[in-house]
Amino acid sequence: MDLPILTTTTEPMMRTRQPTTATLEDQRIPVRAKLAATWTSFMFLYAYVDILNFFTPGVIEDILDGKVFEFDLSQTFSTTALTLVAIPILMVVSSMTLPARANRITNLIVASLYVPVTAFNAVGESWLYFYGLGIVLELILLALIVRFAWTWPRTAPSATMATSPDREAVRARQQA
C-alpha cells in the first residue's frame, strides 16, 4: 500500500493569477457639468453644420453675391447670426456659474427657444440628409439639456432648519 508523501516546506504554493473583473467606478456627474458639456456639444455641432455647408455646391457663389439662404448679407444678418451662435457659447459659462434655480430656469427657457430655431434651419434646404442629421442631433442635445435642467436634483429641507428659530432671532440673542 502506497502512503502519501508529506512535505514540510515553508515556500508558498505557486498559484496562477486569476483575472479579476473589477467594476469601473461610475462617478456622479454634477448637473452643471452635464449642462455645460451638452451646450458645448450643441455649439460645436451648430457651428460645424454651418461650416460644412460651405461645401454645398452654390453656397459660396451665393455668399459672394450677397445672399445667405433668402437673406441679404448685411450687418443685421451678421449680428443675428453671431447672436444665435453666442447664446449657446454663453450657456456653457452660465451653466457652470449661475445659482441653481436661475441656472435651471435659464437652461429650460433657452433650450426650449432653440428648438424652433433649430427646426427652422431645415426650411428650403436641398441637402436634407445633411441638414436632417444635423438638426436631429441638435434636437437630441436640446432634449438632453431640458431633461437635465428639468430633473435637477433637489435637496430636502433639513429637520433642524425647520424647527430652529429664525436667524434674526438667533443673531439678536447673540448680540445681547
Side-chain angles (χ1 to χ4, degrees):
M1 171 171 200
D2 289 334
L3 294 172
I5 299 172
L6 298 173
T7 60
T8 56
T9 181
T10 58
E11 292 180 29
M13 290 180 52
M14 287 186 64
R15 295 182 185 197
T16 58
R17 285 193 145 195
Q18 298 294 327
T20 58
T21 55
T23 305
L24 296 175
E25 182 180 353
D26 196 10
Q27 296 179 341
R28 189 172 178 272
I29 300 171
V31 176
R32 292 175 189 277
K34 289 180 185 179
L35 289 167
T38 311
W39 277 114
T40 301
S41 298
F42 177 84
M43 185 262 317
F44 276 117
L45 189 59
Y46 197 76
Y48 272 99
V49 166
D50 284 346
I51 291 167
L52 291 173
N53 183 51
F54 292 140
F55 297 101
T56 305
V59 169
I60 300 293
E61 290 79 13
D62 288 346
I63 291 171
L64 292 174
D65 288 339
K67 289 257 186 222
V68 173
F69 181 50
E70 296 290 324
F71 304 105
D72 290 329
L73 281 174
S74 65
Q75 185 167 318
T76 302
F77 173 83
S78 295
T79 303
T80 303
L82 177 61
T83 302
L84 288 173
V85 174
I87 291 172
I89 293 168
L90 294 173
M91 288 305 296
V92 175
V93 175
S94 299
S95 295
M96 293 300 290
T97 58
L98 285 175
R101 183 173 169 76
N103 201 334
R104 179 177 184 263
I105 291 168
T106 303
N107 274 281
L108 287 170
I109 291 170
V110 174
S112 297
L113 290 174
Y114 261 78
V115 169
V117 170
T118 299
F120 173 77
N121 286 329
V123 174
E125 288 302 330
S126 59
W127 284 31
L128 287 181
Y129 294 133
F130 170 73
Y131 267 100
L133 177 60
I135 289 167
V136 165
L137 294 173
E138 289 171 10
L139 290 173
I140 289 169
L141 291 170
L142 290 170
L144 281 172
I145 292 166
V146 169
R147 182 178 182 271
F148 294 148
W150 188 262
T151 60
W152 194 300
R154 288 167 171 63
T155 57
S158 67
T160 56
M161 285 299 285
T163 59
S164 67
D166 78 338
R167 291 181 184 161
E168 293 301 319
V170 171
R171 217 178 272 143
R173 277 190 240 132
Q174 288 175 346
Q175 291 176 351

